[in-house]
Amino acid sequence: MLQQTQVKTVIPYWERWMTELPDIKALAQAPLVKILKLWEGLGYYSRARNAQAAAKLIVEKHDGVFPHNFQDVLNLPGIGRYTAGAICSIAFNMPTPILDGNVTRVLSRCFGIAGNVKEKATNAQLWNLAQELVKRAESLPDLRLAGISDCALQIAENFSYDRTSFAQHTGKSTSLSGNCSALNQSLMELGALVCMPHQPDCSSCPLNPYCIAHQTNRVDNFPHTAPRPQTVQRRFIAFIVEREQKFLVQQRPAGVVNGGFWEFPNIEVDLQTTNLDSASKPFQILGSKPLCKIRHSIMHYRIQLEVYRADTSKNGTWKSLSQLQALPMTAAHQKILKHLV
Ligand code: SF4
């Protein structure tokens, strides 16, 4: 749930999820519709499907016990190198590195890594650095770190990386202490709360005596990234066809974006189209004004969804409002539903 999503957003979802699906077996056996409903509104729905696929694999291959071996964790659906590293270091205190956006920012600034962090060679350099740091942490005494600032302080007091440039710059030769779990959490939290993308709080950062970017007044130069893809505008028309208090809906097929979710029938139209009647066939739009317009974003797409009441000779699945409320729908179509209640 926390991939690409903030903790405060996740908390209510997590609590509902754990009430409904309290263990791996319950998740493995749950109907997909229930899982999607619990995830509704959280986005990136492949995570929910992967979580269930992983639970099934754990039940089948690991007797229902979450594996404690890095390679087995990495083999679970939906878990890549970063997530496997985070699980194994944070939960099991193993010396596995992590490299997300926050850690990349901290390391590239602190060690003055100038290459484009999206490029293979620089990315490999950052992974190697993260690996070296956590390996050093492993051999040192276990630390019980009370909170974020303490974690950051531990890094500050003990952070060292004996690359020539860093040693020359800082003149420090202390060794890193702390355990793997504390180190990785500290790096993540420092990136999230202190070393932010814009206007990092260098004056209160415990790493500032050692940070190459800060010491050389080049914080804005790190991390070096490729320009973001340009945003693309898209326009969709959704049709609300109602008969005897039931609405025509469709389920998105498996394997496409938001597969398994329910939605009102809709089409994509050209941004400039003014003749909606011909673009809308076999739907006939009723009235000239939309019921509502919904704007939302998916990745670099900025989407406008215009919603019209309509009629059609097309047949399909008809659901009442209460039936629709019990089905998983994407956030945009949930908003349409609220206009109908
Ligand atoms: S000193 Fe500034 S740039 Fe360097 S790690 Fe701390 S917050 Fe980031």
Side-chain angles (χ1 to χ4, degrees):
M1 284 180 180
L2 286 165
Q3 287 171 343
Q4 309 281 334
T5 312
Q6 292 186 337
V7 173
K8 67 173 193 283
T9 308
V10 161
I11 287 171
Y13 283 92
W14 169 253
E15 287 174 346
R16 275 197 299 277
W17 179 279
M18 291 308 291
T19 305
E20 295 286 326
L21 305 168
D23 55 34
I24 288 171
K25 207 170 159 194
L27 172 56
Q29 292 173 345
L32 182 61
V33 68
K34 177 172 183 170
I35 289 168
L36 294 179
K37 188 69 190 163
L38 286 165
W39 207 279
E40 184 183 77
L42 206 48
Y44 299 103
Y45 296 101
S46 59
R47 295 179 297 176
R49 278 185 285 274
N50 280 333
Q52 184 175 49
K56 284 181 177 170
L57 201 138
I58 292 168
V59 168
E60 283 162 20
K61 277 199 163 177
H62 304 286
D63 294 328
V65 179
F66 195 92
H68 284 220
N69 167 298
F70 178 79
Q71 196 54 49
D72 286 340
V73 175
L74 191 61
N75 287 343
L76 296 173
I79 294 189
R81 186 178 181 186
Y82 163 71
T83 308
I87 291 170
C88 289
S89 62
I90 294 172
F92 311 136
N93 199 33
M94 287 161 57
T96 50
I98 54 162
L99 192 68
D100 64 356
N102 287 330
V103 177
T104 295
R105 195 163 53 252
V106 171
L107 296 184
S108 69
R109 285 175 173 169
C110 209
F111 294 102
I113 293 174
N116 181 342
V117 297
K118 301 275 185 214
E119 277 172 8
K120 211 171 162 187
T122 311
N123 188 260
Q125 185 184 4
L126 287 162
W127 273 108
N128 288 342
L129 175 53
Q131 176 69 78
E132 186 168 337
L133 292 171
V134 78
K135 269 200 167 161
R136 289 190 185 197
E138 184 191 22
S139 58
L140 293 158
D142 181 52
L143 292 176
R144 291 272 156 244
L145 299 174
I148 291 157
S149 57
D150 286 351
C151 291
L153 194 63
Q154 284 297 334
I155 296 178
E157 285 177 354
N158 302 290
F159 204 90
S160 128
Y161 178 64
D162 58 5
R163 283 175 358 126
T164 316
S165 63
F166 189 68
Q168 277 172 350
H169 182 77
T170 62
K172 296 279 280 186
S173 58
T174 53
S175 60
L176 183 69
S177 72
N179 61 29
C180 309
S181 175
L183 173 80
N184 281 350
Q185 290 188 69
S186 302
L187 287 171
M188 291 161 88
E189 294 292 347
L190 194 73
L193 302 175
V194 180
C195 192
M196 288 93 69
H198 306 291
Q199 298 181 324
D201 189 4
C202 295
S203 60
S204 67
C205 175
L207 296 186
N208 67 26
Y210 324 115
C211 173
I212 289 177
H214 175 68
Q215 293 292 334
T216 57
N217 263 329
R218 292 184 296 141
V219 171
D220 290 343
N221 294 0
F222 301 96
H224 174 206
T225 51
R228 285 171 180 270
Q230 283 203 327
T231 57
V232 175
Q233 308 287 336
R234 296 175 72 179
R235 182 184 176 201
F236 286 78
I237 309 293
F239 305 102
I240 308 301
V241 184
E242 182 176 1
R243 283 196 200 135
E244 296 168 8
Q245 297 182 322
K246 291 198 168 183
F247 296 87
L248 185 62
V249 286
Q250 60 195 25
Q251 188 175 27
R252 293 179 67 78
V256 303
V257 176
N258 297 331
F261 278 79
W262 289 82
E263 63 183 11
F264 296 98
N266 60 88
I267 54 165
E268 182 166 11
V269 294
D270 195 87
L271 291 177
Q272 316 305 335
T273 298
T274 49
N275 187 355
L276 287 183
D277 286 339
S278 76
S280 298
K281 283 175 185 155
F283 293 90
Q284 296 91 47
I285 289 177
L286 305 174
S288 56
K289 284 197 174 167
L291 178 69
C292 57
K293 285 185 184 177
I294 291 161
R295 288 180 196 279
H296 64 115
S297 298
I298 301 175
M299 297 182 296
H300 63 293
Y301 296 116
R302 303 289 170 269
I303 297 169
Q304 172 160 297
L305 177 63
E306 295 161 32
V307 185
Y308 287 89
R309 287 201 178 265
D311 203 354
T312 186
S313 53
K314 197 177 159 167
N315 213 337
T317 306
W318 298 85
K319 300 275 184 193
S320 68
L321 282 178
S322 59
Q323 286 172 324
L324 283 176
Q325 282 163 336
L327 290 175
M329 297 185 94
T330 57
H333 287 257
Q334 274 180 61
K335 285 182 190 163
I336 301 178
L337 198 54
K338 283 186 186 141
H339 280 270
L340 300 173
V341 176

